[in-house]
């Protein structure tokens, strides 16, 4: 289906995979990590590997994981977070997530299925004398180890960038819920907590751990609303988005094409993705992109078009295209969020587009 609910066995968790087209989803559970954990961290759950077929269909994953009291003391919940793993990015915490201390539940959102676990400082695991110490390893019946072989889709010579992990939530957290911290690379001293425990409304301790950034990918800030106008990071243009209901969105700019370009065509702008909260949201867009003067001559603009990347990896020109030669601007509407770029005959391009290229003319209105 296009909206699949799964419950990984041996894990108190629920996952909803929302895909743009029908997909088949299976889950695999491991008691050993697919790769070494970050220094100082330990797992507080098993490892849930979500497999989607076909992998090329854009999708979003909503996760909800509940930890039993014997796995971690209530006082230490603020120091835990949902982490995701893939062979490209390694282990990294989901960028935005929530924890409900009263129900001991972590919720988060990811862009595309990966491997997930709740990680935190290893010092906060139950002591060696606690009978519950081995619960994490015992939630799955003993069986031969299953080797983890991450699926890597075929990519062009310039590898496609990793999926964007962009859980989207309103800026103001709901009552009784706070944004989960990202666990530090070095575990802090055990916190001093009042006898009453952690308040469900108190903010968590400050703890930040950022994944290594890919210099070819630039992510904008997450914005929430029903009518949003955003400028792509370090690109000259504007993306307008409208919907009947509030939605979350961020723009992501790519230097390299996320899929092979049609034969004979080249990119005259960089690539920008409108990463929305959920593929099933009805969002209407208007895309404005400009081509820098050094990329091609003014005479070449008539042979360029604004393209969008289909779910099957095919680049298609957008209809209702409007060209503004004076502004070197290309404008077209779209009915669903995708990845966009201005493409044209490679022979017309005099220079590759630069992420810092700016045009000193008024911006689109």
């Amino acid at each position: 289906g296009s909206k699949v609910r799964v419950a990984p066995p041996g894990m108190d968790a629920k996952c909803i995979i929302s895909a743009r087209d029908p997909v088949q989803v299976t889950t695999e559970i491991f008691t050993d990590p697919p790769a070494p954990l970050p220094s100082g961290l330990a797992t507080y759950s098993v490892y849930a590997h979500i497999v989607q077929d076909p992998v090329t269909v854009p999708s979003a994953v909503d996760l909800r994981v509940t930890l039993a009291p014997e796995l971690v003391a209530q006082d230490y919940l603020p120091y835990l977070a949902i982490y995701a793993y893939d062979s490209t990015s390694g282990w990294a915490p989901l960028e935005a997530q929530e924890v409900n201390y009263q129900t001991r539940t972590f919720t988060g959102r990811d862009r595309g299925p990966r491997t997930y676990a709740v990680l935190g400082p290893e010092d906060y695991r139950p002591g060696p004398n606690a009978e519950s110490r081995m619960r994490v390893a015992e939630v799955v019946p003993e069986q031969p180890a299953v080797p983890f072989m991450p699926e890597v889709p075929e990519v062009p010579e310039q590898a496609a960038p990793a999926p964007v992990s962009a859980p989207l939530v309103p800026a103001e957290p709901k009552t009784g819920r706070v944004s989960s911290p990202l666990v530090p690379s070095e575990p802090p001293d055990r916190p001093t907590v009042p006898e009453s425990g952690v308040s469900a409304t108190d903010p968590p301790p400050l703890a930040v751990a950022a994944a290594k950034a890919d210099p070819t990918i630039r992510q904008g800030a997450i914005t929430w609303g029903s009518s949003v106008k955003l400028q792509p990071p370090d690109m000259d243009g504007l993306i307008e988005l409208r919907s009947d209901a509030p939605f979350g969105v961020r723009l992501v700019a790519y230097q390299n094409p996320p899929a092979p370009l049609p034969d004979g065509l080249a990119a005259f702008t960089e690539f920008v993705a409108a990463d929305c909260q959920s593929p099933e949201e009805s969002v209407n867009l208007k895309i404005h992109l400009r081509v820098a003067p050094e990329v091609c001559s003014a005479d070449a603009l008539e042979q360029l078009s604004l393209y969008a990347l289909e779910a099957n990896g095919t680049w298609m020109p957008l209809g209702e295209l409007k060209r503004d030669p004076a502004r070197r601007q290309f404008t077209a509407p779209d009915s669903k969020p995708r990845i966009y770029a201005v493409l044209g005959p490679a022979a017309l391009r005099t220079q590759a587009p630069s992420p810092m290229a700016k045009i000193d003319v008024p911006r689109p209105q």
Side-chain angles (χ1 to χ4, degrees):
S2 58
K3 193 162 189 175
V4 183
R5 292 173 172 82
V6 295
M11 188 180 191
D12 190 359
K14 295 180 180 179
C15 303
I16 299 177
I17 294 85
S18 303
R20 191 164 291 169
D21 299 311
V23 295
Q24 180 177 347
V25 177
T26 58
T27 59
E28 300 173 331
I29 294 297
F30 303 91
T31 56
D32 294 322
L37 299 180
S39 176
L41 298 187
T43 181
Y44 290 77
S45 70
V46 291
Y47 303 92
H49 180 49
I50 301 178
V51 182
Q52 173 187 299
D53 184 26
V55 297
T56 55
V57 175
S59 63
V61 180
D62 291 287
L63 304 98
R64 181 182 298 270
V65 183
T66 301
L67 297 184
E70 56 264 34
L71 294 179
V72 60
Q74 180 84 4
D75 299 348
Y76 304 141
L77 289 177
Y79 296 91
L80 276 57
I82 300 175
Y83 275 66
Y85 171 82
D86 63 54
S87 59
T88 302
S89 305
W91 285 105
L94 297 185
E95 292 184 9
Q97 51 187 294
E98 295 179 334
V99 56
N100 186 319
Y101 296 132
Q102 296 174 339
T103 62
R104 305 174 60 87
T105 300
F106 295 78
T107 58
R109 189 177 188 86
D110 198 6
R111 187 69 169 183
R114 297 191 281 172
T115 299
Y116 304 96
V118 177
L119 305 183
E122 56 187 358
D123 290 346
Y124 297 167
R125 301 242 301 192
N129 296 326
E131 295 182 0
S132 60
R133 174 70 174 178
M134 298 304 295
R135 174 167 177 148
V136 170
E138 291 176 350
V139 291
V140 175
E142 292 188 7
Q143 53 186 328
V146 180
F148 180 86
M149 297 295 293
E151 298 183 25
V152 180
E154 293 184 3
V155 295
E157 184 176 344
Q158 289 181 319
V164 178
S165 301
L168 304 173
V169 295
E172 295 296 329
K174 299 178 181 178
T175 304
R177 305 172 73 88
V178 297
S179 297
S180 174
L182 306 184
V183 181
S185 58
E186 297 184 2
D189 295 334
R190 290 175 179 257
T192 302
V193 181
E195 294 182 2
S196 58
V198 179
S199 167
T201 57
D202 287 343
L206 177 63
V208 176
K212 292 184 179 179
D214 185 335
T216 68
I217 302 175
R218 304 183 303 278
Q219 299 186 19
I222 297 171
T223 302
W224 187 268
S226 58
S227 179
V228 178
K229 295 182 180 181
L230 296 174
Q231 179 182 353
D234 294 334
M235 289 180 62
D236 198 34
L238 189 74
I239 308 294
E240 302 180 57
L241 306 97
R242 296 181 184 275
S243 179
D244 293 336
F247 61 93
V249 61
R250 80 188 312 165
L251 299 185
V252 184
Y254 302 87
Q255 284 184 250
N256 301 322
L261 300 180
D263 290 342
L265 296 188
F268 287 71
T269 65
E270 292 189 302
F271 305 86
V272 57
D275 189 14
C276 285
Q277 175 195 19
S278 180
E280 72 269 13
E281 292 285 353
S282 176
V283 179
N284 293 313
L285 303 90
K286 181 175 286 187
I287 300 94
H288 311 263
L289 291 181
R290 296 182 182 178
V291 176
E294 62 269 21
V295 175
C296 71
S297 68
D299 295 338
L301 295 176
E302 287 297 323
Q303 300 186 54
L304 310 183
S305 293
L306 187 54
Y307 280 69
L309 180 61
E310 298 282 359
N312 62 5
T314 302
W315 290 96
M316 297 296 294
L318 291 175
E320 302 181 44
L321 175 67
K322 294 182 179 179
R323 295 182 181 88
D324 186 340
R327 296 183 176 182
R328 304 179 63 92
Q329 179 175 301
F330 294 76
T331 299
D334 200 6
S335 58
K336 58 184 177 181
R338 295 188 280 183
I339 300 178
Y340 306 97
V342 174
L343 307 181
L348 300 178
R349 197 177 76 172
T350 56
Q351 179 179 313
S354 166
M356 299 304 295
K358 303 293 181 182
I359 303 174
D360 191 17
V361 294
R363 296 203 169 275
Q365 300 298 321

